[in-house]
Amino acid sequence: MSGHSTYEPKTGFERWLDVRLPIIRMAKDTAIDFPTPKNLNYWWTFGGILAVCLVIQIVTGVVLAMHYVANSAMAFNSVEHIMRDVNHGWMIRYIHANGASMFFLAVYMHILRGMYYGSYKAPREVLWLLGCVIYLLMMATGFMGYVLPWGQMSYYGAVVITNLFSAFDKVIPGVGTAITTWLWGGFAVDNATLNRFFSLHFLLPFMIAGVVGLHIWALHVPGNNNPVGVEVKSKEDTVPFHPYYTVKDGFAILVFLLLFSWFVFFAPEAMGHADNQVPANPLATPTHIVPEWYFLPFYAILRAVPDKLFGVLGMFGAIAMLFALPWLDTSKVKSMRYRPTARWFFFLFVAATIGLGWCGGKLPDDVVLPVGRDAVTGEATGFTVVMLSQTLAIYYFAYFLVILPALGLFEKTLPVPENISTPVLPKGGAAMPSGAAASPEKKG
Amino acid sequence: MAETAKANPHETEGDDPSRRDFIHIAALATAGVGAVATAWPFIDQMNPSGDTLALASIEQDIAKVPAGQQLVVKWRGKPVFVRHRTPAEIAAAVKDDHADMRDPAADASRTKAGKQEWLIVIGVCTHLGCVPNFGTGDYGGWFCPCHGSVYDTSGRIRKGPAPLNLQLPDYEFTGPTKVKIG
Amino acid sequence: MQFGQSIQTKLSGLIAAIAVGSLALLPVAAHAKTNEKEPMEVHFSFEGPFGRFDQAELQRGYKVYAEVCSACHSMNLVSYRDLAAPGGPFYDPKHPVAPAQSPYAKAIAEQYKVPDIDPDTGDTIQRTATPADHFKAPFANDAAARAANGGALPPDLSVMARAREGGPAYIYSLLLGYEEPPKGLTVPAGKYYNPYMAGDMGSYWTGAKTQIPEGGFIAMGKQITASRVQFDDKTPSTVENEAHAVATFLAWTADEHQVERKQTGLAVMLYLFVFTLITYLSYRRIWRNVAH
């Protein structure tokens, strides 16, 4: 879509089609001949991996919908019917259930890669924003999908998340309640809720696919960013997408599928919760409810704030930070390879987010760092999970709102290479042979 | 890759990267095998599931069906007519064994030996799948309301568009009045 | 620079490793604030990627379920035909037939009467079960089950081994774990003390708050006793054998396709491994002349 098309119709039919629907030209320009920076490392393979994830989820999802019954009296048993009686149903369901986790694992790698290498900076802001929209849609889809088996975790997950909106009662009394009642289609999460969640869970992946189309379009206008963060200057800097990146992405996809298959076939319930094997019971809540692992950092932020409304705002704000990122980072240098200070703040940010995820799976009052003992109960007291969550949440927000804006102004960056082909400028000033510049992560 | 990389970023002469090397062919062939193997579970999942197959065979007590009447049993999602024929109906069917028919069949070939009074047929018109009505039409058998196919007391097609006689399910008598269908 | 880059690469690798690692750890971290005992160390033949169900033990486990558990616990998701499906306790690989046609499944089903409607009168009747029927439930409905069990509902056992942390080891431990309540613990009427049961007994404990005993209360009394079930294969009827057999059986009912799943998985992993290797070689060949 960018630059000149290199496609030349060869046969009469191709020429005939090309003036009517240049679909072969488009495919060739975007997926075959597309000039791609030759220095992309394995962190760039997650885009292809995510495309595979989306296809897997849609195909398995459509198949599961052939057997699933979206009715509160039958949903749990219909899932068990899939697991027991439908031919290969257990496999298809486990691929779908674990596929959600693998999808989020890949999307987090993809987002972190973008954050590290500054892929959100001009001229790729729209590309980044579209990615954030995909991520939001994924979260909505994942959440509603988890409700469908109608187990205890499904039910109380739906109860807790929909109740977030009741926080708006504090802004305008009655509005929050009106929203939750509208979301539920009743006075509690029930059959009507399950039905609409199923409908939306079916719809949203196709919306994701549509936004992915825009995301790829927006990618092909400026072309790929790359590990040095310097734009492509000449043809020397690029290789055609096929076969160079089809084979590299293919290899990465296969490694990813090995991990995926290990979960599906040998630990299919490892990322699930035992409580979700108990049919939903609106009269009794399990002792400890947690969301799926991919929501845990946000769940921790929600619980870190003692106020209900501000907790909800904090949680949504954490996601909103991603949308604002292109305008919060003031640095002119894209890749953190040349931002030695920012790099460490970034690694700390990743650690803080993982830490928040850990906190999200713990009980808020659990003690992380025992200091003393309670005089009455004798229980350990000290630094609790909720305090740790608060500390980490403050860093999470500070990274976006303080550190990145300020660093861009004060940070002393390393010299950035002139182009992709000579990424290393040794102290002497003479360019090293480009062979030596191969990034070490490519070895073996 | 660094150790194999050359200073010159261009490919050396005669070294087309997309050349159909053995290893590339092997990779594509492996991918093809995987695609075919993966397709199978996704096709097979549409075949009847375990619980459906478990009901593929049913046992039915037919003692209560009076002569001249039929019992309609649902088997594999379709009606099965269990017709207790009167001697007159059997005689009418046997008399027509050599009449001009679209799908000729002797009445004896459509019942079990010694059990001529029991005619057990799948109640689905061989034309386009409607369920024929009992005891109507010119031949005392069935009449299909959709397109006017007429069957006789042996379930044979006598008039109308249907090409074949009413089909016989696999069945056997497991007792004097017990029949296992399927 | 080279040095800096390799540090950064290692760090990114570390982050990836931590991320993947935390995936595996998180569900384990998600424990309730109850202080039940960890399940006993017990081994089952079906553990690990190469584990298989021991068919003789599945048959013994079915017998324990049928003679002991099924008096109170339903198993609504399992059918008699499942017992004779490939991998099931009564599957005969020498005479493979459709599960519903299996003489074993028929013989077992015929021992039970299940509710149905008489097509002639519309009355509710009890008819002989067929292999296609689900296991007969001991009570007509949940309310009846509660009424007969002092208000407590005996949970359905179909997926029990998946529905509790610890799975079969938990079931085994719970069945064998009954012991005298510690002094100072007030056991409510109709309840029993079991250290493996989840619960919070703070309000029933009169001793020091620092020494609240492990475990919780359960409405089911000790059921597994020596010689409760006579095994057809002469396996001694010890409590351990009975509990182990029924835990194995429940692991199977919760995951009927487990062995098929793991066998498929080994083939898939092997295939992917070979494919990955070939693709890597293809990748190296395509990129061999590109400095990058």
Side-chain angles (χ1 to χ4, degrees):
Chain A
M1 285 176 212
S2 76
H4 299 288
S5 177
T6 52
Y7 172 65
E8 279 172 30
K10 289 190 187 67
T11 65
F13 172 72
E14 283 181 57
R15 276 190 293 276
W16 180 86
L17 188 65
D18 197 48
V19 289
R20 288 163 177 82
L21 180 73
I23 190 168
I24 303 177
R25 177 181 297 277
M26 191 183 84
K28 198 144 190 304
D29 291 346
T30 56
I32 311 273
D33 291 343
F34 187 70
T36 312
K38 63 182 182 181
N39 61 337
L40 300 187
N41 57 30
Y42 279 111
W43 293 102
W44 259 264
T45 60
F46 284 100
I49 288 170
L50 283 163
V52 169
C53 285
L54 180 61
V55 170
I56 288 175
Q57 289 306 86
I58 290 181
V59 169
T60 52
V62 167
V63 164
L64 289 172
M66 295 180 188
H67 305 283
Y68 172 75
V69 182
N71 177 295
S72 59
M74 296 159 85
F76 187 90
N77 284 7
S78 77
V79 171
E80 282 298 319
H81 165 69
I82 291 168
M83 296 289 286
R84 288 164 196 270
D85 285 336
V86 173
N87 302 319
H88 313 281
W90 58 267
M91 187 195 305
I92 295 165
R93 186 197 166 219
Y94 276 150
I95 291 173
H96 196 73
N98 287 283
S101 282
M102 302 314 290
F103 204 159
F104 275 97
L105 174 67
V107 90
Y108 284 133
M109 296 297 170
H110 194 63
I111 292 172
L112 289 177
R113 187 269 291 156
M115 289 176 71
Y116 184 84
Y117 293 107
S119 300
Y120 47 83
K121 293 186 189 182
R124 295 186 182 81
E125 298 95 323
V126 173
L127 172 61
W128 176 261
L129 288 179
L130 288 166
C132 292
V133 171
I134 293 170
Y135 176 52
L136 265 188
L137 288 171
M138 277 177 64
M139 292 206 285
T141 311
F143 159 65
M144 288 192 268
Y146 193 63
V147 175
L148 302 185
W150 210 240
Q152 279 286 66
M153 281 293 181
S154 298
Y155 184 84
Y156 286 97
V159 168
V160 169
I161 299 299
T162 50
N163 264 313
L164 292 179
F165 294 94
S166 69
F168 293 107
D169 271 345
K170 207 174 162 187
V171 187
I172 308 169
V175 165
T177 310
I179 294 174
T180 48
T181 307
W182 173 75
L183 284 174
W184 295 332
F187 305 108
V189 173
D190 209 335
N191 192 46
T193 325
L194 176 62
N195 262 288
R196 62 192 58 183
F197 277 19
F198 178 55
S199 172
L200 293 172
H201 182 72
F202 205 109
L203 166 73
L204 289 185
F206 296 97
M207 289 178 67
I208 293 177
V211 185
V212 165
L214 295 178
H215 190 65
I216 294 171
W217 184 8
L219 167 70
H220 281 76
V221 176
N224 291 77
N225 182 32
N226 64 79
V228 296
V230 179
E231 294 299 318
V232 168
K233 298 265 164 64
S234 68
K235 207 168 171 293
E236 303 282 285
D237 293 343
T238 66
V239 288
F241 189 80
H242 179 76
Y244 292 95
Y245 283 106
T246 40
V247 72
K248 187 169 181 172
D249 282 357
F251 169 64
I253 287 164
L254 286 168
V255 173
F256 185 79
L257 287 181
L258 272 167
L259 176 72
F260 194 151
S261 302
W262 186 80
F263 275 109
V264 168
F265 293 105
F266 300 110
E269 304 281 354
M271 287 182 285
H273 299 287
D275 279 321
N276 217 31
Q277 312 291 342
V278 179
N281 177 3
L283 305 180
T285 306
T287 42
H288 182 42
I289 73 153
V290 282
E292 290 288 84
W293 69 267
Y294 37 84
F295 294 136
L296 288 175
F298 303 107
Y299 189 59
I301 291 174
L302 171 78
R303 297 193 308 187
V305 185
D307 180 88
K308 182 174 171 181
L309 176 64
F310 285 96
V312 174
L313 292 179
M315 190 176 86
F316 287 118
I319 301 161
M321 289 298 110
L322 290 172
F323 282 84
L325 180 59
W327 296 275
L328 292 173
D329 185 352
T330 52
S331 176
K332 292 276 178 284
V333 178
K334 282 203 188 91
S335 172
M336 288 201 189
R337 274 191 187 174
Y338 309 105
R339 301 182 63 191
T341 321
R343 184 191 296 164
W344 288 107
F345 282 110
F346 172 79
F347 291 139
L348 210 55
F349 168 79
V350 176
T353 310
I354 293 173
L356 279 169
W358 181 82
C359 290
K362 289 282 181 190
L363 288 172
D365 294 335
D366 279 354
V367 175
V368 184
L369 204 71
V371 176
R373 288 201 167 273
D374 188 290
V376 184
T377 64
E379 280 175 23
T381 56
F383 199 63
T384 61
V385 164
V386 79
M387 294 177 196
L388 179 62
S389 306
Q390 286 162 350
T391 316
L392 296 173
I394 288 169
Y395 181 78
Y396 180 100
F397 284 101
Y399 178 77
F400 287 103
L401 296 173
V402 181
I403 296 168
L404 280 183
L407 263 186
L409 306 176
F410 304 116
E411 183 184 31
K412 190 173 176 330
T413 56
L414 298 173
V416 175
E418 276 171 36
N419 60 50
I420 289 169
S421 298
T422 53
V424 181
L425 292 173
K427 284 196 179 102
M432 280 170 72
S434 52
S439 49
E441 54 263 76
K442 296 270 182 43
K443 280 180 193 164
Chain B
M1 288 304 287
E3 59 275 14
T4 57
K6 293 178 185 153
N8 181 0
H10 295 285
E11 295 93 35
T12 47
E13 245 175 290
D15 237 358
D16 178 5
S18 59
R19 205 180 79 198
R20 286 284 178 266
D21 249 318
F22 164 74
I23 196 70
H24 306 325
I25 295 168
L28 286 174
T30 318
V33 171
V36 171
T38 311
W40 173 244
F42 288 87
I43 295 166
D44 191 36
Q45 54 88 15
M46 296 225 301
N47 277 320
S49 58
D51 53 333
T52 306
L53 291 175
L55 294 172
S57 168
I58 56 167
E59 286 202 47
Q60 183 68 41
D61 186 354
I62 53 176
K64 288 181 189 159
V65 188
Q69 292 299 314
Q70 74 168 6
L71 173 73
V72 181
V73 184
K74 195 173 164 197
W75 173 71
R76 296 187 183 178
K78 286 179 290 202
V80 166
F81 298 154
V82 180
R83 182 165 183 161
H84 193 172
R85 300 190 295 177
T86 60
E89 285 170 343
I90 300 172
V94 172
K95 186 167 71 69
D96 282 357
D97 271 356
H98 301 289
D100 183 28
M101 279 190 281
R102 191 168 298 153
D103 184 11
D107 183 60
S109 71
R110 297 178 57 77
T111 52
K112 301 282 180 202
K115 293 275 186 186
Q116 274 88 349
E117 69 272 30
W118 294 108
L119 176 71
I120 301 180
V121 291
I122 297 175
V124 173
C125 181
T126 57
H127 181 219
L128 290 169
C130 296
V131 179
N133 293 331
F134 170 71
T136 52
D138 299 345
Y139 293 85
W142 291 270
F143 173 76
C144 181
C146 290
H147 305 96
S149 293
V150 179
Y151 299 90
D152 66 12
T153 52
S154 190
R156 293 172 298 201
I157 179 68
R158 303 303 290 270
K159 249 167 70 176
L164 297 170
N165 301 334
L166 290 179
Q167 284 184 298
L168 309 174
D170 279 337
Y171 70 93
E172 57 180 323
F173 283 90
T174 52
T177 60
K178 284 230 173 184
V179 62
K180 176 175 162 253
I181 306 172
Chain C
M1 269 316 294
Q2 286 287 57
F3 177 71
Q5 280 188 21
S6 83
I7 289 257
Q8 160 243 318
T9 310
K10 277 178 191 153
L11 271 170
S12 353
L14 187 69
I15 291 165
I18 290 170
V20 173
S22 49
L23 274 188
L25 288 175
L26 278 171
V28 183
H31 262 304
K33 196 177 186 172
T34 48
N35 64 340
E36 67 274 14
K37 248 175 152 171
E38 285 294 311
M40 296 177 199
E41 281 284 320
V42 53
H43 293 289
F44 293 96
S45 62
F46 51 85
E47 286 166 353
F50 300 96
R52 301 281 178 267
F53 285 113
D54 172 357
Q55 199 181 25
E57 181 160 40
L58 282 179
Q59 293 181 5
R60 296 198 293 274
Y62 171 70
K63 195 163 192 204
V64 177
Y65 168 74
E67 293 185 7
V68 183
C69 318
S70 71
C72 298
H73 291 277
S74 61
M75 204 179 259
N76 294 332
L77 299 170
V78 184
S79 309
Y80 294 109
R81 66 185 159 86
D82 291 337
L83 295 169
F90 297 98
Y91 177 66
D92 185 355
K94 288 197 197 95
H95 305 98
V97 288
Q101 303 298 325
S102 157
Y104 301 102
K106 276 184 187 169
I108 291 168
E110 278 165 8
Q111 299 167 11
Y112 297 93
K113 296 273 186 197
V114 291
D116 204 349
I117 303 288
D118 187 319
D120 297 326
T121 63
D123 295 339
T124 50
I125 51 163
Q126 297 285 322
R127 64 161 170 84
T128 305
T130 69
D133 284 309
H134 287 138
F135 278 16
K136 179 191 167 58
F139 302 103
N141 50 55
D142 283 0
R146 281 182 198 280
N149 287 282
L153 176 67
D156 185 89
L157 294 183
S158 314
V159 291
M160 185 51 72
R162 265 194 280 147
R164 295 290 182 276
E165 295 282 347
Y170 162 82
I171 293 168
Y172 177 83
S173 308
L174 186 84
L175 291 175
L176 296 186
Y178 286 89
E179 55 183 60
E180 282 301 308
K183 277 206 169 67
L185 187 69
T186 320
V187 181
K191 299 266 185 184
Y192 303 86
Y193 168 69
N194 192 311
Y196 296 95
M197 183 75 185
D200 184 359
M201 301 191 299
S203 48
Y204 299 91
W205 177 244
T206 54
K209 286 289 176 200
T210 48
Q211 287 159 350
I212 300 174
E214 292 177 306
F217 299 122
I218 178 169
M220 174 178 80
K222 185 178 169 78
Q223 297 298 331
I224 296 295
T225 50
S227 305
R228 178 90 191 252
V229 177
Q230 298 305 315
F231 293 125
D232 303 324
D233 60 2
K234 309 281 183 261
T235 301
S237 303
T238 61
V239 286
E240 287 83 6
N241 283 346
E242 289 171 355
H244 200 274
V246 79
T248 300
F249 178 68
L250 292 179
W252 172 76
T253 61
D255 197 5
E256 288 176 18
H257 295 287
Q258 185 189 137
V259 173
E260 181 192 357
R261 187 186 80 222
K262 292 192 288 199
Q263 281 173 341
T264 312
L266 290 173
V268 169
M269 296 295 274
L270 184 70
Y271 163 78
L272 279 176
F273 187 76
V274 171
F275 190 13
T276 308
L277 204 71
I278 293 173
T279 307
Y280 181 69
L281 294 175
S282 177
Y283 159 66
R284 290 290 298 251
R285 183 137 189 89
I286 284 172
W287 279 83
R288 70 194 182 283
N289 290 323
V290 182
H292 60 281

